[in-house]
Amino acid sequence: MTFRLVLFTTALFGFAGCFGDSPQYRYDRDPRPGSALYTPPDPPPSLAECAPDGATWDEVRNLYENTEWSIHELITCGRVQVRLTQSLLAIVLASNEEIFRGDTFERVSEYANTFGVDLEAPFDRHEDGRWSMPIPAAAPGSVFWVQFFEPGKSDPILADPFDLDSYLTGVRVETTRTLDEMLSDLWERNVFSFYWETEGPLASLLNGGEPVSNPFEVEVSIADIASLVYPSLVDADADFGPLTSLVDAEMISCVELSDDRGGSHVEYRADGRRGSIGEIAGAGSVSFDIDQIRATDGIHELVGDAEDLRFLGVKNLAGEIFYRLRGPNLDLEVISDFGDGNEWPVTTWMCADPRPPYSSSPKYSM
């Protein structure tokens, strides 16, 4: 039961409202750097030698702003991935109905439903081991997906990493305390004794790959479980037993986004770098590589890329995105610099270095 409670807490702060569509704002004055998405109403001095006319400038700044709003989905997807890694142990344990007694599951379900929160991670399973969820704020077909691996192996895990039966089958659980007793003292530890029948396909992820005793014990309090999400609560005496090594499993993620926004069409794929669940959960960050961002308003085209654009937690990204913006008689370079961590970038506009002439009739592949 307690693990369902932690999963609910994680879902409340991590999954609920992760992909909401936000209104776009334009500013009449320069805000504090990195505090808001901002482009000046007139071409900056750095474009003195290549400045477009007023109407064209409005079009290209609109295209750029729409693209950056779409990039902002990396923050929401990064947040989902970090929360998922922090709650994996809770999700695995919560998958076993033996942990619940009496009306405990119904009580937590009713509490969660009050906030409109599902107690299960909102992913769809695919045959290739991918787990995906849609991005409602973007166009249909836009997805965020994750994939898991055993440490050091190249083939993805095809079994369900969220289901305790994938590790051990026929699990029966006995506890020394009730839910009410644990809730009365959040630091009071409960001993969960796990009796099992056979090993599942992911048994090698338990106990560091060593044989798992039968039964095995997990001795934790509600505060110990909450520390999976809130590290400040970590207590060295907490004992998750052979389940601890689950965080050695590795994962990748991907944002595949297509977005129609404000007269612009934006597409990109951002690949989250492979790392262990424990590393991602502990650092609270995800590094993304973007091979190509492509955006167009039908007249102008914005193409960009980024290496190691990092989600740092809460609302921040770090790193730089480099863009080339082209159109009829127009060739600019734009840098979006999130520095060491900002919700929005500081933007630098430049005249592009001379390159082959830009066609006035581009053939967009989007």
Side-chain angles (χ1 to χ4, degrees):
M1 195 319 284
T2 57
F3 299 101
R4 289 276 182 178
L5 181 61
V6 171
L7 179 55
F8 159 66
T9 304
T10 302
L12 178 60
F13 289 99
F15 294 135
C18 278
F19 296 105
D21 199 2
S22 302
Q24 297 187 47
Y25 299 96
R26 305 201 58 159
Y27 295 85
D28 295 327
R29 59 186 178 83
D30 193 352
R32 179 175 59 82
S35 66
L37 180 58
Y38 173 79
T39 53
D42 300 305
S46 59
L47 298 183
E49 297 182 0
C50 59
D53 59 41
T56 302
W57 175 248
D58 284 342
E59 292 170 354
V60 298
R61 69 191 284 245
N62 182 69
L63 177 60
Y64 168 76
E65 288 180 2
N66 289 333
T67 302
E68 281 298 325
W69 274 97
S70 297
I71 292 294
H72 218 240
E73 293 300 331
L74 292 181
I75 292 178
T76 52
C77 293
R79 185 185 306 129
V80 170
Q81 184 175 349
V82 168
R83 291 296 187 183
L84 178 63
T85 60
Q86 292 173 335
S87 61
L88 180 65
L89 291 179
I91 295 173
V92 170
L93 289 166
S95 69
N96 183 267
E97 296 295 334
E98 278 288 320
I99 293 177
F100 306 103
R101 300 297 165 90
D103 65 347
T104 53
F105 178 76
E106 288 74 15
R107 289 167 56 195
V108 177
S109 294
E110 291 175 3
Y111 185 63
N113 289 335
T114 302
F115 296 89
V117 176
D118 195 342
L119 291 180
E120 296 180 351
F123 288 92
D124 294 322
R125 184 179 183 179
H126 303 274
E127 291 183 356
D128 61 357
R130 298 188 188 190
W131 295 81
S132 71
M133 62 187 301
I135 305 177
S142 297
V143 296
F144 170 61
W145 56 262
V146 298
Q147 202 171 32
F148 298 90
F149 301 82
E150 294 190 43
K153 294 189 176 181
S154 58
D155 293 331
I157 290 174
L158 300 182
D160 185 348
F162 304 122
D163 190 346
L164 186 58
D165 283 346
S166 295
Y167 305 91
L168 300 169
T169 68
V171 174
R172 177 173 57 86
V173 183
E174 295 182 357
T175 63
T176 57
R177 287 177 175 78
T178 66
L179 167 67
D180 290 331
E181 289 173 335
M182 293 187 73
L183 288 175
S184 66
D185 185 346
L186 301 183
W187 280 264
E188 183 69 22
R189 291 198 167 91
N190 194 352
V191 178
F192 298 82
S193 298
F194 290 79
Y195 298 81
W196 52 277
E197 296 177 359
T198 62
E199 293 184 344
L202 300 183
S204 61
L205 289 175
L206 298 176
N207 205 35
E210 297 297 322
V212 178
S213 62
N214 192 1
F216 69 88
E217 293 184 347
V218 171
E219 186 173 359
V220 292
S221 66
I222 289 180
D224 294 329
I225 302 167
S227 71
L228 299 172
V229 180
Y230 305 104
S232 61
L233 297 177
V234 170
D235 188 325
D237 293 331
D239 183 8
F240 287 91
L243 301 175
T244 303
S245 62
L246 289 183
V247 300
D248 295 332
E250 298 172 345
M251 71 184 305
I252 60 173
S253 63
C254 183
V255 179
E256 297 179 351
L257 184 136
S258 176
D259 198 7
D260 294 301
R261 182 187 298 269
S264 304
H265 181 72
V266 183
E267 288 186 357
Y268 66 82
R269 171 178 170 138
D271 291 294
R273 294 184 178 182
R274 179 163 169 165
S276 75
I277 291 170
E279 290 170 346
I280 296 171
S285 67
V286 181
S287 291
F288 291 100
D289 293 319
I290 308 178
D291 288 335
Q292 190 173 77
I293 307 161
R294 294 177 61 85
T296 180
D297 59 6
I299 300 174
H300 310 93
E301 183 180 52
L302 183 69
V303 178
D305 59 52
E307 293 183 1
D308 196 21
L309 189 66
R310 301 179 304 283
F311 164 74
L312 295 184
V314 189
K315 298 180 179 180
N316 292 338
L317 291 175
E320 294 178 312
I321 306 175
F322 298 90
Y323 293 104
R324 188 75 178 265
L325 199 162
R326 299 180 180 182
N329 302 313
L330 182 71
D331 196 355
L332 308 177
E333 293 181 357
V334 192
I335 300 176
S336 292
D337 185 0
F338 291 89
D340 294 329
N342 277 293
E343 183 176 3
W344 298 104
V346 175
T347 304
T348 302
W349 295 80
M350 299 170 291
C351 299
D353 292 333
R355 296 186 188 182
Y358 177 78
S359 170
S360 60
S361 301
K363 295 181 180 180
Y364 297 110
S365 61
M366 304 175 67

